[in-house]
Amino acid sequence: MTGKNNPLNDPNSNPFEIAREAADQIAKLSGIPHHDIGLTLGSGWAKAAELMGEKVSEIDAEQVIGFSKPAVVGHGGKLTSVRLPNGKHALVIGARTHFYEDHGVRRVVHSVRTAAATGAKIMVLTNGAGGIKDHWKPGTPVLINDHINLTASSPLEGATFIDLTDLYSKRLRDIAHEVDPSLDEGVYVQFRGPHYETPAEVQMAKAVGGHIVGMSTSLEAIAARQAGMEVLGFSLITNLAAGISPSPLSHEEVLQAGKDAEPVISRLLARIAAKL
Ligand code: 8IG
């Protein structure tokens, strides 16, 4: 599906009905009528799906209503159904629409709403991000324990008031810590992007209580909570945030750090998924 005629762009459409329709299409195309877990794979996390269990279906996201073609090389475009060792099914989303693409928030959170409509009660959100704590070396996975949304936007429409206390579920973070007690946690700050921050903006994020800077996840987490899901959030620190390290950021280095860390964090995520 191309951007222009995406039904989510029609302000008179109902994004929840479109998510319902997308879930029905996924059930038909994948042969899996129900999924238990939604999992969005960000930069660096792509290999996790293969380690989590048995791939039972893979479909091109663009075949499904509301989804679009990936905008960034390295961001796949597949919806994969994986059967976990415990018999549960995960819908692995390799097609993220970013807020900076300017297609509107409905398009950003469509995959989360679709996962919820397939039956998923847990949403695992992963991303590649910049680290503010200078002891986080590139390649370090960090659990998200809260966020600061600096996009000035929300997936909620109208007077919809949703509590975001414990948005990044303590229960799920405890499960992750059982698997790896050395996992650190931090507050994720979502900027609009697509430019990286200036060093001054990174200092601002730090001053307001942030530890991780990124361009996704917060809006998705809000939509997941609205849909009644529990959220587990993970950042792979692929670079130190601007000004934290003396060297400038490069997209190539970010991709390389993600590639290098991939086997380690994929194994970690697979072990956690088995306990969800
Ligand atoms: I990968 O340093 C990755 N994504 N905002 N800042 C922001 N997003 C990112 C960064 C970063 N690294």
Side-chain angles (χ1 to χ4, degrees), residues 130-155:
I132 296 180
K133 293 191 187 177
D134 57 13
H135 63 271
W136 287 342
K137 301 287 164 269
T140 305
V142 176
L143 276 171
I144 300 173
N145 58 19
D146 206 347
H147 79 223
I148 296 171
N149 169 17
L150 295 185
T151 64
S153 186
S154 172

Side-chain angles (χ1 to χ4, degrees), residues 40-55:
T40 299
L41 295 176
S43 351
W45 297 89
K47 287 276 184 305
E50 294 165 23
L51 295 174
M52 273 171 28
E54 185 199 346
K55 187 198 283 192

Side-chain angles (χ1 to χ4, degrees), residues 21-32 35 55-65 67-68 76-82 91-95 114 118:
E21 205 177 319
D24 291 345
Q25 290 176 344
I26 289 168
K28 212 170 277 165
L29 291 166
S30 71
I32 309 297
H35 288 85
K55 187 198 283 192
V56 285
S57 147
E58 183 177 78
I59 58 190
D60 283 326
E62 38 191 297
Q63 286 182 274
V64 177
I65 187 166
F67 284 82
S68 15
K78 305 282 186 197
L79 301 173
T80 310
S81 295
V82 175
L91 179 67
V92 179
I93 299 152
T114 298
T118 69

Side-chain angles (χ1 to χ4, degrees), residues 43 127-131 188-197 202 212-216 236-242 249 251 254-255:
S43 351
N127 60 59
Y188 180 91
V189 183
Q190 182 175 358
F191 285 84
R192 180 191 179 277
H195 51 270
Y196 295 119
E197 296 71 35
V202 170
I212 307 161
V213 284
M215 307 177 192
S216 63
L236 171 68
I237 305 302
T238 56
N239 58 279
L240 288 178
L249 276 58
H251 186 57
V254 163
L255 291 178

